[in-house]
Amino acid sequence: MKEMLKADQITFRYAETGRPAVDGLSLTVRRGEYVAVLGANGCGKSTLAKHFNAILLPETGTVTVEGMSTADEDRLFDIRQKVGMVFQNPDNQIVATVVEEDVAFALENLGVPPDEMRRRVDEAMRMAGVYNYREKAPHKLSGGQKQRVAIAGVVAMRPDCLVLDEATAMLDPIGREKVMRTVHRLNREYGITVVQITHYMEEAAAADRVVVMSEGKIALEGTPTEVFRQVDRLRALRLDVPQAAELCHALTQAGCPMPDGVIDVEGCAAALYRLLTGRDAPDAENAKEVAACPQP
Amino acid sequence: MLRDITIGQHFPGNSLLHRMDPRVKLVLTVAYIVMLFVGSNPAGLAISIVFLTALYLTAKIPLKMVARSVKPILPIILFTAVLNLFFMTGTSEPLLAWWIFKIYREGVYYAIVMAVRIICLIAGTSLLTYTTSPIVLTDAIEQLLKPLARLHLPVHELAMMMTIALRFIPTLIEETDKIMNAQKARGAQLDSGKLSQRVRALIPVLIPLFISAFRRADELAMAMECRCYHGGEGRTRLKQLRLHASDIVLAAAAALVFAAIGMSNLFFERIG
Ligand SMILES: Nc1ncnc2c1ncn2[C@@H]1O[C@H](COP(=O)(O)OP(=O)(O)O)[C@@H](O)[C@H]1O
Ligand SMILES: [Mg+2]
């Protein structure tokens, strides 16, 4: 089965009368894919995320996880085990007073025998890079470390998909970088599908696919290059673009012949090098160097 | 300053007592409390003091910690001692008589025995919390009370509440600190002024704290649901409590001491 998550024409309202938080939205996420979801505050990203593991059920339409409908109560724990959720505030998702016991929490709930649990907990802590803090108290860890403990707690369930709802929003740059590296490694090495809601354009630029939401609907969708070249469209949706894309856009508008679809620093540096020297940047390594030093 | 508060004064260590099965420790502590009342006579109390001192030495916990744990309830000890001193009537001549107060030999005797008994009680229960982390203690309570779950007592839920409370106390303390600083930055006078003013100044600290605690509870509940939490049914534990041979030896030794305390009643009259 290639489809990991599938939302089909779903609508959801918090209050009977209010306007829908998610409005006739359809989205399919393939197995192993890394999807970033962008959108202004209050556009329904979290509401959508909560549909993927049956925390919320759609008013109309259906959500399926590997073919299982989230409305099927008998499969509730199968679904929650397959789709792990990580939230914004690491403090509010850690239950136990010792790291390894928190990582074991889901397995304890699922009734996994202690010997097997020990193995899976150790494995999950290594995968999330928190093995060295396994006996520490969570409140003694930094934000980034806590968030990776939360990820380990979800990974211990051996999920096929991770849904991260602004999981890096409260972290300092170093913590964010480490969490992102962990998530990308889980995606690449273990084939875990990732749906990441974020406000950081640099994070979205590293995804396979970007989905931009607005007022409960999908406004834009495509590869990061396809999405971020539409600078004006994104601005209208009250979103930023990655700084490199913004620079290229500004240069193009000022009449500089910049190539289309540059969204990262390396690509931008290479394009500028070509523009200024008339030669191709020798290699990617060099382009990074060029990016690092300001041109006279 | 709030950060310095520690809960359930636990002294991490690796002594025989620290490594003992928490269930056994808990049962022995309860038995010890019972024996303090059963063997409430000078000989019984003397045996318990020796026993307790030996345990403190084994656990490598400084004896001055006993003084620290007794300190908060010193007023109660003094109060009961004074009551015994003045209201105990004896058969012999009063030792001291002044106005309507008469102090008898029995009064002095009672006052001393009762005070020692309370001190032993505190020192004994403190030893349990000194050598057992609160979370391990919670596990032990849950395991010991498990049979009561069949009577529909919410044993697992209570243990879960304890765990979550222990987990969030440091978080909430930190948050209180932050809110207090934020309010001080706005000119709130939290540590000066009259008592009534200070109490009133706490309201703008407590309200944000409560709101935040409810939000946290909401998010935590959702995160627990996402990790398949559905109550205590069919739950397994990562850390299994195991009874070791040393636990049985220690329990047997304690049982002998308790028997001796009980026997002391044969030779001395029980008090209180
Ligand atoms: N628990 C709730 N009760 C009522 N309305 C809510 C609730 N949660 C979110 N909403 C509303 O639903 C809309 C979408 O919210 P949300 O999915 O949290 O957006 P996002 O995560 O994109 O910021 C917002 O208008 C928000 O006010
Ligand atoms: Mg949100």
Side-chain angles (χ1 to χ4, degrees):
Chain A
M1 201 185 311
K2 281 191 72 184
E3 279 167 14
M4 178 71 228
L5 304 172
K6 187 171 158 82
D8 191 14
Q9 296 281 326
I10 60 166
T11 303
F12 182 87
R13 250 186 288 243
Y14 279 100
E16 291 278 305
T17 50
R19 69 172 182 82
V22 172
D23 192 0
L25 181 147
S26 298
L27 176 68
T28 306
V29 177
R30 288 186 304 276
R31 211 175 233 289
E33 204 179 8
Y34 196 122
V35 178
V37 180
L38 297 173
N41 272 329
C43 72
K45 304 180 298 292
S46 299
T47 311
L48 174 66
K50 284 172 199 162
H51 277 83
F52 287 138
N53 71 347
I55 292 290
L56 296 177
L57 295 177
E59 206 172 293
T60 62
T62 53
V63 178
T64 51
V65 173
E66 291 192 331
M68 299 179 283
S69 166
T70 55
D72 185 352
E73 277 192 28
D74 296 335
R75 311 302 293 270
L76 186 66
F77 293 125
D78 291 335
I79 288 171
R80 297 222 168 124
Q81 195 180 342
K82 280 209 187 314
V83 183
M85 282 267 223
V86 181
F87 298 96
Q88 182 174 14
N89 190 337
D91 268 328
N92 297 353
Q93 41 191 329
I94 294 178
V95 187
T97 46
V98 182
V99 166
E100 60 179 7
E101 285 189 32
D102 186 74
V103 175
F105 182 70
L107 302 182
E108 294 183 331
N109 292 333
L110 291 166
V112 174
D115 296 339
E116 191 192 336
M117 197 185 310
R118 186 73 253 175
R119 250 179 299 148
R120 282 172 68 171
V121 166
D122 286 347
E123 175 193 86
M125 287 191 297
R126 287 210 177 85
M127 280 163 78
V130 294
Y131 190 74
N132 289 340
Y133 332 123
R134 63 189 176 281
E135 282 175 0
K136 284 212 177 178
H139 70 269
K140 299 247 167 83
L141 302 180
S142 75
Q145 291 169 337
K146 276 189 265 195
Q147 199 61 297
R148 280 183 286 145
V149 170
I151 291 175
V154 168
V155 164
M157 295 192 288
R158 295 196 175 139
D160 294 331
C161 179
L162 267 184
V163 178
L164 305 144
D165 189 352
E166 299 190 28
T168 55
M170 294 180 74
L171 308 182
D172 57 283
I174 294 167
R176 200 162 76 221
E177 166 84 31
K178 287 204 169 147
V179 168
M180 285 317 297
R181 236 185 279 154
T182 305
V183 173
H184 275 282
R185 202 182 58 236
L186 293 174
N187 176 250
R188 267 196 328 272
E189 287 174 23
Y190 302 92
I192 297 176
T193 312
V194 176
V195 176
Q196 188 191 7
I197 296 173
T198 181
H199 278 300
Y200 293 102
M201 300 304 146
E202 277 69 24
E203 289 176 8
D208 296 332
R209 184 152 61 110
V210 176
V211 173
V212 181
M213 282 181 68
S214 171
E215 299 190 336
K217 297 187 180 72
I218 292 180
L220 272 176
E221 195 183 343
T223 62
T225 316
E226 283 165 5
V227 169
F228 288 127
R229 72 158 55 122
Q230 309 187 42
V231 176
D232 296 321
R233 207 44 221 290
L234 288 170
R235 290 243 172 84
L237 295 166
R238 288 183 287 143
L239 288 174
D240 286 334
V241 288
Q243 279 179 338
E246 197 170 351
L247 176 62
C248 290
H249 182 73
L251 286 171
T252 312
Q253 285 204 321
C256 288
M258 290 293 284
D260 207 17
V262 175
I263 57 164
D264 57 0
V265 176
E266 279 80 25
C268 183
L272 284 173
Y273 190 89
R274 206 173 304 125
L275 191 71
L276 294 170
T277 63
R279 282 178 290 135
D280 273 354
D283 52 48
E285 265 319 298
N286 212 335
K288 253 183 219 156
E289 257 168 54
V290 177
C293 57
Q295 301 280 333
Chain B
M1 54 154 189
L2 275 172
R3 269 161 231 249
D4 303 333
I5 300 174
T6 53
I7 297 296
Q9 311 150 303
H10 174 224
F11 270 72
N14 201 26
S15 74
L16 203 58
L17 279 185
H18 282 89
R19 280 179 280 125
M20 201 172 168
D21 188 317
R23 290 170 299 181
V24 178
K25 270 193 272 191
L26 195 63
V27 171
L28 288 182
T29 308
V30 173
Y32 177 72
I33 294 170
V34 172
M35 288 321 289
L36 272 182
F37 283 89
V38 171
S40 181
N41 61 58
L45 289 177
I47 299 172
S48 20
I49 290 172
V50 172
F51 179 54
L52 214 51
T53 313
L55 289 182
Y56 267 85
L57 292 177
T58 317
K60 296 198 179 66
I61 289 172
L63 281 169
K64 68 168 192 280
M65 289 311 301
V66 178
R68 203 194 281 183
S69 52
V70 167
K71 216 166 125 197
I73 56 139
L74 206 57
I76 299 176
I77 298 176
L78 287 177
F79 181 71
T80 44
V82 167
L83 278 188
N84 279 314
L85 211 53
F86 290 120
F87 292 101
M88 206 68 211
T89 48
T91 43
S92 58
E93 277 292 294
L95 294 176
L96 245 160
W98 176 72
W99 191 34
I100 53 166
F101 300 113
K102 289 194 182 68
I103 295 177
Y104 294 89
R105 257 195 50 216
E106 283 84 347
V108 176
Y109 185 62
Y110 264 59
I112 291 173
V113 168
M114 294 291 259
V116 170
R117 194 170 76 180
I118 298 178
I119 291 169
C120 283
L121 190 81
I122 301 300
T125 44
S126 299
L127 187 62
L128 177 69
T129 53
Y130 287 153
T131 57
T132 323
S133 81
I135 196 71
V136 172
L137 204 55
T138 309
D139 275 357
I141 295 172
E142 181 178 8
Q143 295 249 326
L144 284 173
L145 295 185
K146 221 180 223 164
L148 293 181
R150 244 179 262 144
L151 304 174
H152 300 292
L153 242 76
V155 174
H156 164 73
E157 284 74 8
L158 286 173
M160 188 50 105
M161 275 162 59
M162 269 292 285
T163 310
I164 292 174
L166 289 169
R167 154 72 186 81
F168 275 89
I169 283 167
T171 310
L172 290 179
I173 287 177
E174 207 172 292
E175 183 152 41
T176 315
D177 224 19
K178 263 191 215 152
I179 297 174
M180 281 169 75
N181 285 335
Q183 301 295 28
K184 275 186 204 159
R186 293 182 172 85
Q189 310 251 304
L190 294 176
D191 14 54
S192 59
K194 274 188 296 200
L195 187 66
S196 65
Q197 284 170 332
R198 264 152 67 178
V199 169
R200 211 163 320 133
L202 271 184
I203 293 175
V205 172
L206 290 181
I207 290 177
L209 188 65
F210 266 75
I211 292 174
S212 142
F214 279 114
R215 204 195 52 236
R216 281 181 195 282
D218 203 36
E219 283 181 22
L220 183 71
M222 185 158 58
M224 286 168 72
E225 253 190 276
C226 285
R227 290 206 264 161
C228 304
Y229 182 67
H230 56 277
E233 203 182 318
R235 219 162 172 268
T236 49
R237 297 306 306 268
L238 175 67
K239 293 245 171 76
Q240 299 287 314
L241 296 176
R242 279 205 194 84
L243 215 57
H244 294 285
S246 59
D247 294 322
I248 297 166
V249 173
L250 273 172
L256 282 178
V257 174
F258 292 162
I261 296 175
M263 301 262 280
S264 66
N265 271 338
L266 299 177
F267 308 100
F268 285 88
E269 191 198 348
R270 206 183 144 266
I271 288 168

